[in-house]
Structure formats: structure tokens, C-alpha cells
Amino acid sequence: MSDRLPPSWADRIAAQARGELTPVTPRRAATVVLLRAAEQGGRGAEGAEGAGGGTEAYLLRRRTSMAFAGGMYAYPGGAVDQRDSGPEVGWAGPDAAAWGRRLGVPADDARAIVCAAVRETFEESGVLLAGPDAHSVVADVSGEEWRAARAALEAHELSFAEFLAKRGLVLRSDLLGAWSRWITPAFEERRYDTWFFVATVPDGQRTAEVPGEADRVLWISPAEAVAHYAAGEFGMLPPTVTTLRELEPLASPAQALEAADARTVQPIMAEARIEQDGAVVVSWPGYPGLALRGQL
């Protein structure tokens, strides 16, 4: 399948080919695909009926005013905060060293990436992958105090370590499954080195109201979301739709977490070329069905 190249990309790819563009250093980031069994459900975050059977993923549509991926459907996530790497973060599950081996980075970097994944998920969806100990998860985080904490975290008025310590909680790193790592193409203006994770919404928790960076949220099966994308009804960046396609054949969130354990997490980054007829093609090695094409 070949999709249309964003208009701004062709000019930047040409500039890069002429040696006139210096790639921006990508910021580290993390994003989490929240999953639930469709039969749990009734109505999703926007009142949509669950499909009945199978797995649903949580998607939010970023406001068009957002500088990066405005108007696109995405998963909860964002950039790593420098405070995410602090060893004072309450922690349960595989330690930073184990996550470093899994993610292919030093332990301190892995701690920051995993912390960012849990923090951003709480900020943007209201789902908190933390509990009072290594064997439990906090059940209800929907009250006003929790909403205020989310706002303080998002405003960088509070670190995640401080948030957890104040409530006697520990981050549950065992609730995450590492899925993939995508790096924004070198010719992009804003670049991220993003680790993708999967996680199941804990029992007793539910996603919050529409967050500040989104204008729509919904629970939807991966197959249905991909169909909307193919029909031109949902805008998605390549990593988002690719992850949904990979989740399509998995019958339950538990299967997704099992599949995550078996995956190899290697950097994935696009390659761009300009053909003799002036066509600009962006492709991803190892993903032959994923390509974008435009014209100079």
C-alpha cells in the first residue's frame, strides 16, 4: 500500500539531498497502546458501543493546533522528562537494568523511558499503572484530586516520583510490554525516538474525559481503526497504523502482552529517495507495504 506524502516532506527531502538540511536530534519519548477486552465494555470513552469479543485499543485524536501530528489519531504518550530518570521513582517489576537490556539502552535511560510511558499514560488517559505494592494496582483514579494531579504533572509542577511518593505508590513496570521503537525520519522538523508499549487497563479503572491535547477519544478494534484509516477517515502516522495492523490478529490483551515479550525492539526509521522522474518515495526497511509517495 502506498499513501500520499505530506506536502512539506518533499521540499525537506530535496533539501537534505542537496546537503542543505541538518537533521534535528530526536527527543526520547514513550507511548502506550492501552488495550481492553471488547466484551468488558458497553460504552467507550466517547460513548461508542464495544464490538463484542476481541480486543479494543484506546485512541485519541490530537487537536489540530498541536505542533506535532495535529489532527492525527495516536496513543497516549509524550517526551521523556529529565526527572523521569531519577532513582527515587517508586518501582516494582523488572528493574531499570532489565529494561535497559530489553530496550537496548543504559539502565538510567530505560528507567526514564518506562517512567515516561506510565506518566504520560496517566496524564493523557487517566489510567495509572501503579499500586501500593508489587502485587496490586490502584483501582479508582477518577476523582477531583487525581484530575488535579494529572494537571500538575502535565504542567511540570510535579515530578512523577513526587506524585507516587505522596500517595504511597510504586510504578508497576511489569504491566508494560515493549512493542517497538520508531524514530522520526531525519528530514522532519520535529523528531522523536519513541518506544511503543502495550498495556491492559487495570481492573476498576476507566479512561478519563477528553484530555487537553485531544478533541476526541474512543475505544475501537484494531481492524476497525485500520479500516477507517484505509478509507481516509482517520489520519495516522505510520507507526500508529502499523502497530494496529500488528495487533489485528491477536484475540485478547493477554495475547498482545505475550506477543510483546517475544518481539525484538530495534530502531525503525524511514529512508527517503528521489527518483529520476522527480517522484519522492519514503519507505521503511522491513515494512514493504508501508510507503509514502509524492512529487517535487
Side-chain angles (χ1 to χ4, degrees), residues 19 22 30 32 52 92-93 101 103 122 125-126 144 154 212 223 228 241 253-254 288:
T22 301
V32 177
R101 293 188 292 272
L103 302 180
F122 179 54
S125 75
E144 182 56 40
E154 191 167 3
H228 282 297
V241 69

Side-chain angles (χ1 to χ4, degrees), residues 103-292:
L103 302 180
V105 294
D108 286 348
D109 293 344
R111 182 188 296 107
I113 292 161
V114 171
C115 183
V118 175
R119 175 182 54 75
E120 287 282 348
T121 297
F122 179 54
E123 288 180 20
E124 296 200 350
S125 75
V127 170
L128 181 57
L129 303 176
D133 54 50
H135 308 290
S136 58
V137 183
V138 61
D140 184 5
V141 292
S142 60
E144 182 56 40
E145 181 185 353
W146 297 101
R147 285 194 290 272
R150 287 170 56 204
L153 286 166
E154 191 167 3
H156 302 284
E157 297 168 354
L158 181 70
S159 73
F160 200 57
E162 292 166 341
F163 162 77
L164 293 174
K166 182 178 179 180
R167 289 158 181 80
L169 301 174
V170 292
L171 178 156
R172 288 284 306 276
S173 77
D174 57 310
L175 298 181
L176 289 169
W179 193 262
S180 58
R181 177 185 179 185
W182 292 75
I183 302 176
T184 310
F187 50 81
E188 270 277 50
E189 292 180 272
R190 289 180 174 81
R191 301 187 64 211
Y192 295 92
D193 184 354
T194 305
W195 280 261
F196 283 65
F197 298 86
V198 293
T200 302
V201 176
D203 290 341
Q205 290 193 33
R206 57 180 299 155
T207 49
E209 71 282 358
V210 179
E213 294 186 357
D215 61 12
R216 185 189 185 199
V217 296
L218 74 163
W219 284 100
I220 190 169
S221 73
E224 193 176 355
V226 170
H228 282 297
Y229 169 81
E233 297 163 350
F234 283 11
M236 295 183 195
L237 293 175
T240 306
V241 69
T242 299
T243 303
L244 289 167
R245 287 170 177 155
E246 292 169 341
L247 290 168
E248 272 191 69
L250 304 176
S252 68
Q255 281 193 13
L257 287 166
E258 289 174 6
D261 289 340
R263 291 175 64 89
T264 300
V265 179
Q266 298 286 352
I268 303 166
M269 190 170 74
E271 296 177 350
R273 69 180 186 274
I274 301 175
E275 301 185 336
Q276 288 186 345
D277 62 357
V280 182
V281 179
V282 178
S283 59
W284 282 259
Y287 294 83
L290 187 65
L292 303 175

